[in-house]
Structures are given as C-alpha cells and as structure tokens.
C-alpha cells in the first residue's frame, strides 16, 4: 500500500468513526483531528524552537554592543553576530523547525486532496456544503462561500498576529533572511487560495495550533 493510500485509508477510518457526531462534515473533522495529532507529535520541536528564541533574546545586549563596535563595517558585524549565535547555540532559523518538519506531511496531504489518489470517497464529503476537493474559486456565494471566507479570515488573523510577534522578536543585526522570515506568515493565505479546501483546512488548523502553542510557551 502506498503512502498516499495509507493516509487516505487512515482519514477515511477516522471519518467513519466521527460520522455519528459530525454527519456530512465527518471527513473535515477527521482532517482537523489528524492535524492536531501531527502537531502534538511535533510539540517537542516547538519547545526547542522557543528555547532558541529565548537564547537569542538573551544575546540582544551583546549584539547591540557589537553593532556599536562594528558600525562602520557591516560585513564584520554580520560575521561577529553569526559567530556569537553559533557559540551560544542560538540559531536564527530555530523557529522554523516545526514548520519544516511538517512540510512532508502537508505535501502528502496536498497530493491526496488535489489528485484524489488513495482518498477513496473522502473528497466527496463537504464542510457546511463546501466540497473538500474543490478550490475556493468554484464556490463564491451562499453557505459554501462563507466557509472559505471564514477560513481566510482565520488565516489572516493568525498571520497578522504571527507577523507582529516575529517582527518584535527580531534582534538588531540579525541576518537578512532572519529579518525577512516574519513575512512568511502571510504565505499561508496564498497557499490556502490555491489548494483544495481539505488541504486548506489542514493548513488553517496547523497555523492556528502554532499561534496558540507559541502564545502559551512564551507566557
């Protein structure tokens, strides 16, 4: 059995078990439940990422001092900051670990939901009338259209919160790639606009988990 068929069978089994509670939306509920399980398994990586962020925050005074010392030599400044972060184990990319770790899962799910390979009749199910296998452009009015609008509103709110928080946490003198990372939070909106509803539902659940998780870890 291929990986795609295995995932499709797992989601179908979960949907069958949830059918008494959610009826026609059981498949959507199964996707959400599966996503929560994936993110729970990745929680240790999220904790490690937060520890890295706190380590970088603790280095902020030293980085500020380096910026004063090397203010006339930007290249030397970048090297000095990179050396300091390496020495203290504070990688500027540590916060990306949970996202990178779940990319293979998302790609597999996207293949299943966009091609129907191994999905059985999973994509024939709906969420409030919106077909799980359809893109937002196919349904712009009525109840199904409201599902997409609600999904985009949720993703926009989470992306904005993530962007503002990440901008605030960026330390002075950080490499250009680290300063640009906060903008990636809005990539979820673009992705949700081009994938089927089933994949967008996975994406919305995962990004919302991330926002709540990081809020709790940074208390």
């Amino acid at each position: 059995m291929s990986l795609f068929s295995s995932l499709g069978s797992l989601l179908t089994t979960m949907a069958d078990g949830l059918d008494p509670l959610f009826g026609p939306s059981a498949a959507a509920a199964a996707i959400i439940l599966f996503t929560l399980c994936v993110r729970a398994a990745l929680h240790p990586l999220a904790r490690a990422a937060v520890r890295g962020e706190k380590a970088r925050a603790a280095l902020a005074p030293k980085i500020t001092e380096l910026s004063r010392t090397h203010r006339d030599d930007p290249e030397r400044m970048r090297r000095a900051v990179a050396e300091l972060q390496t020495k203290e184990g504070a990688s500027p990319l540590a916060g990306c670990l949970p996202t990178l770790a779940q990319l293979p899962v998302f790609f597999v799910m996207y293949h299943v939901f966009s091609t129907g390979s191994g999905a059985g009749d999973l994509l024939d199910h709906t969420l409030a009338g919106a077909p799980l296998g359809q893109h937002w452009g196919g349904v712009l009015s009525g109840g199904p259209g409201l599902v997409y609008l609600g999904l985009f509103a949720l993703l926009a709110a989470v992306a904005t919160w993530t962007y503002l928080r990440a901008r605030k946490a960026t330390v002075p003198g950080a490499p250009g790639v680290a300063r640009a990372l906060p903008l990636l939070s809005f990539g979820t909106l673009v992705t949700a606009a081009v994938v089927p509803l089933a994949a967008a539902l996975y994406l919305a659940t995962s990004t919302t988990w991330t926002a709540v998780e990081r809020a709790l870890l940074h208390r």
Side-chain angles (χ1 to χ4, degrees), residues 22 34 83 92 94 101 104-105 112 133 173 197 218:
F22 296 96
F34 174 80
E83 290 172 359
V105 179
V112 171
L197 176 59
H218 280 281

Side-chain angles (χ1 to χ4, degrees), residues 146-172:
L146 293 178
V147 171
Y148 289 95
L149 290 177
L151 191 66
F152 290 147
L154 174 61
L155 286 170
V158 173
T160 301
W161 185 90
T162 302
Y163 171 78
L164 294 175
R165 182 198 154 279
R167 279 291 301 272
K168 184 178 179 180
T170 302
V171 298

Side-chain angles (χ1 to χ4, degrees), residues 34-153:
F34 174 80
T35 305
L36 295 177
C37 291
V38 170
R39 293 313 310 270
L42 294 175
H43 181 67
L45 285 179
R47 294 180 67 88
V50 169
R51 285 196 298 270
E53 290 173 3
K54 290 181 178 179
R56 292 197 303 276
L59 293 181
K62 295 181 180 180
I63 292 177
T64 300
E65 182 60 31
L66 287 174
S67 67
R68 296 195 188 100
T69 302
H70 305 298
R71 60 179 176 271
D72 297 325
D73 191 344
E75 182 59 31
R76 188 172 181 182
M77 166 64 183
R78 284 192 289 270
R79 290 200 304 268
V81 170
E83 290 172 359
L84 178 63
Q85 290 174 333
T86 300
K87 178 181 177 181
E88 300 295 334
S91 169
L93 300 178
C96 297
L97 287 176
T99 299
L100 294 175
Q102 67 174 310
L103 281 179
V105 179
F106 175 74
F107 287 143
V108 171
M109 295 188 75
Y110 172 71
H111 178 84
V112 171
F113 297 145
S114 61
T115 66
S117 174
D121 65 346
L122 190 69
L123 299 186
D124 295 334
H125 291 250
T126 62
L127 175 61
L132 294 180
Q134 190 169 352
H135 296 71
W136 71 276
V139 184
L140 296 177
S141 62
L146 293 178
V147 171
Y148 289 95
L149 290 177
L151 191 66
F152 290 147

